[in-house]
Amino acid sequence: MTPSLKYPPRLDLARTPTPLQPLRRFCAENNLPTIWLKRDDLTHSLASGNKIRKLEFCLAEAQAQGADVVLTYGGIQSNHCRTTAVLGAELGLKVHLVLRGDAAPDGAPDGNLLLDNLTGATITYVNARRLAKEAERVEAEIRAGYESSGQRVYSIPIGASDATGLWGYIAACDELINDFMATAIQPAAIITASGSGGTQAGLMAGSALLGLNVPVFGINVCDDAAWFEQKIQHDLQKWQAKYKQPIELAELVVNMIDGYVGEGYARASDEVLSTIKSVARSEGVIFDPVYTGKAFNGLLKELDKGRFAGASDLVFIHTGGIFGLYPFRERL
Ligand SMILES: *Cc1c(COP(=O)(O)O)cnc(C)c1O
């Protein structure tokens, strides 16, 4: 039996457990160990991906605090912002998004932004440089607008990667334990794309809390290894301080696989796009250009260089992102 954890309040929003499925054809064709996908692209049709797992906890906390409005942040094509917008509409909470950009992009809204609009989110565009320098002021201004009419605002950081959201991937580890029993595998590693670190941090904490005994690796799609080490340690410390869980943070290792950011966040090389196409054709599984496609392509290159040599099974978290594919249509 696995130890049972005491979770903080949680909403039942994601369609979980998600399947764990092997990429048998693709791996056989390419002479690879068996890569299993944790299909978190199947957590919801519109609010699909990894953010819904974290938001089950963040939005429960927002409701408990009597919030009327949820405020959060991201890029123009943020999956996290789209997920928050959809779930806000589902729960009857107003959603206010601060998107990094000078203004609404030209032309009809695409991909995630189309869904932000359709589900009625209020959007403020803030120039990236101003947002980096004056984040607190931007937030205070938006809050003041709501609070002056007596509305309560609950704010969620980028990617819902904070102490509360971290529980999402601790809960996912609870599923993985059952997945590993059902499939009788003991994978050599769990690998995820990392953007704000919350998925990786949650997997690390969950793995330690539940005795999963599988090392967790993050392939960063922005910034660098040093940034993630610091961010993940900081989030884990906040989580430990808030929830007092019985694990030694000092024993957790932040394993980053750096070197696959390419030209930058949300920019994908032809090679990444071509990996997306070949997995789509051989498996009927679609990765996105910003996170999963970039990270999966990185994983293939690492395998080629001999990392995880001798492993028979690896687990890659398919963290979703399908709507981010559409703005790349011309290159696909
Ligand atoms: C946000 C996101 C990630 C990264 O997760 P973090 O917890 O922010 O590191 C990976 N894949 C997809 C599709 C995402 O939207």
Side-chain angles (χ1 to χ4, degrees):
M1 276 310 292
T2 55
S4 66
L5 298 180
K6 198 176 167 300
Y7 289 98
R10 174 185 189 180
L11 299 172
D12 182 11
L13 299 171
R15 303 299 183 264
T16 51
T18 57
L20 182 73
Q21 293 173 344
L23 289 176
R24 290 232 190 268
R25 246 183 325 273
F26 182 83
C27 294
E29 282 162 8
N30 294 284
N31 250 322
L32 300 170
T34 306
I35 304 173
W36 298 73
L37 292 186
K38 180 65 173 166
R39 295 293 305 272
D40 282 3
D41 55 324
L42 302 179
T43 47
H44 192 286
S45 61
L46 297 173
S48 62
N50 60 342
K51 302 309 179 310
I52 188 172
R53 287 191 186 268
K54 309 173 185 193
L55 289 167
E56 285 192 334
F57 293 94
C58 298
L59 295 174
E61 192 172 85
Q63 283 190 334
Q65 293 179 9
D68 306 287
V69 184
V70 172
L71 168 63
T72 197
Y73 301 82
I76 302 270
Q77 282 298 329
S78 164
N79 295 309
H80 162 65
C81 287
R82 175 259 307 163
T83 309
T84 308
V86 170
L87 296 177
E90 195 172 310
L91 295 169
L93 280 168
K94 273 184 223 169
V95 172
H96 194 128
L97 303 177
V98 174
L99 302 184
R100 252 186 339 263
D102 293 330
D106 291 337
D110 200 354
N112 288 300
L113 187 60
L114 174 63
L115 297 176
D116 298 344
N117 280 303
L118 272 174
T119 50
T122 300
I123 299 175
T124 303
Y125 292 92
V126 179
N127 169 285
R129 230 171 314 126
R130 166 152 197 247
L131 199 55
K133 273 211 315 245
E134 299 178 34
E136 278 168 32
R137 168 136 27 136
V138 169
E139 173 148 339
E141 281 170 12
I142 293 173
R143 274 183 174 273
Y146 289 104
E147 286 165 0
S148 67
S149 62
Q151 300 181 80
R152 282 192 191 205
V153 178
Y154 179 88
S155 138
I156 300 175
I158 289 184
S161 289
D162 65 0
T164 317
L166 218 127
W167 284 101
Y169 273 84
I170 294 174
C173 285
D174 239 338
E175 282 176 37
L176 285 170
I177 287 198
N178 293 326
D179 293 336
F180 297 164
M181 277 198 293
T183 52
I185 59 167
Q186 179 62 29
I190 299 172
I191 300 125
T192 184
S194 274
S196 59
T199 301
Q200 189 176 346
L203 289 168
M204 287 166 57
S207 179
L209 271 174
L210 293 158
L212 203 53
N213 237 343
V214 183
V216 176
F217 289 80
I219 302 183
N220 52 302
V221 302
C222 53
D223 300 290
D224 60 18
W227 187 90
F228 278 91
E229 277 154 26
Q230 226 228 344
K231 171 72 164 62
I232 287 172
Q233 269 155 8
H234 175 82
D235 289 348
L236 283 167
Q237 278 156 12
K238 286 264 182 89
W239 169 80
Q240 181 79 295
K242 185 169 171 184
Y243 297 105
K244 318 256 180 302
Q245 293 296 305
I247 52 172
E248 277 302 326
L249 294 187
E251 289 172 10
L252 302 189
V253 188
V254 183
N255 297 305
M256 298 310 304
I257 300 180
D258 197 353
Y260 297 100
V261 176
E263 281 179 52
Y265 175 71
R267 290 163 193 255
S269 64
D270 291 339
E271 186 183 88
V272 167
L273 299 182
S274 127
T275 295
I276 291 172
K277 287 190 227 173
S278 82
V279 176
R281 273 193 295 261
S282 95
E283 297 280 353
V285 166
I286 297 188
F287 290 133
D288 77 292
V290 182
Y291 295 95
T292 53
K294 197 176 260 189
F296 190 80
N297 186 61
L299 173 60
L300 297 181
K301 303 204 107 178
E302 289 292 303
L303 288 168
D304 201 39
K305 287 192 213 163
R307 195 191 282 259
F308 305 125
S312 61
D313 298 284
L314 297 168
V315 172
F316 182 80
I317 315 282
H318 189 155
T319 42
I322 186 72
F323 303 110
L325 194 70
Y326 294 88
F328 283 80
R329 65 170 69 71
E330 273 149 29
R331 291 180 55 208
L332 286 159

